[in-house]
Amino acid sequence: MVETAGEALAAAQAGDDGAAITLLTTYVDSAPDGEVDGRELVLMLFRECSEMVSALGSGGATPVKMQVYDASGEEVSIDEADPPVRTAVRTLLAQVHGDQDAARAQIEIALSSAEPPEVAAVVMQALRWTIRLADECTKRDLPVAEWISAALAED
């Protein structure tokens, strides 16, 4: 799962969102029944983002501001964001605050009730945040999971 997520990160970093989503969906779809859970894959990305947000926020000592933008580039409140972005933000916030159940519930709702393009948007948000947070952590000499650093170095 980590290898496939790393390949998807590399594809997203290269600007190939379609390949990133295809890698992840093919991985989940090609696994024997019940062996790979797409929720776990997405939650893994959000857990890594949460770790990096915590590192950037000095373990909670320094607040990290999350900004959400609409399609025209204007900052909006979380409640005004598109549903996939709302889900991604709420999942990340739950992870940052250590509420694994709430994070899992957000992903469960997205994967069970959203249309495929919305699910893809949540996954791409997780990939993009992982890339941006890893870049910022690297610039500040903060920890980044080895598999993420390796995937993003394969540019």
Side-chain angles (χ1 to χ4, degrees):
M1 182 162 66
V2 170
E3 181 180 334
T4 301
E7 291 172 6
L9 279 172
Q13 183 181 37
D16 195 346
D17 293 357
I21 293 297
T22 298
L23 280 161
L24 297 175
T25 55
T26 300
Y27 176 73
V28 171
D29 292 344
S30 65
D33 285 343
E35 199 169 296
V36 174
D37 187 341
R39 288 177 282 279
E40 292 306 317
L41 189 105
V42 175
L43 282 169
M44 178 183 72
L45 290 169
F46 280 109
R47 273 192 301 274
E48 295 294 350
C49 286
S50 172
E51 291 294 320
M52 291 184 282
V53 166
S54 291
L56 288 165
S58 304
T62 307
V64 175
K65 182 179 179 186
M66 292 189 69
Q67 296 171 293
V68 179
Y69 299 93
D70 64 14
S72 65
E74 296 294 319
E75 188 173 358
V76 296
S77 74
I78 293 170
D79 294 330
E80 294 173 9
D82 290 335
V85 174
R86 259 195 325 260
T87 298
V89 169
R90 289 179 176 151
T91 302
L92 181 57
L93 287 172
Q95 286 285 41
V96 166
H97 293 287
D99 191 345
Q100 307 289 321
D101 292 337
R104 185 174 300 285
Q106 287 295 319
I107 295 302
E108 180 65 38
I109 291 166
L111 296 183
S112 64
S113 64
E115 295 295 319
E118 290 177 324
V119 173
V122 170
V123 173
M124 282 310 304
Q125 191 67 57
L127 290 169
R128 287 185 186 111
W129 282 343
T130 303
I131 293 165
R132 287 185 190 130
L133 288 165
D135 182 52
E136 193 60 35
C137 283
T138 300
K139 286 178 185 174
R140 297 183 190 192
D141 200 28
L142 295 169
V144 175
E146 189 175 314
W147 71 269
I148 294 172
S149 295
L152 298 178
E154 296 173 6
D155 197 343

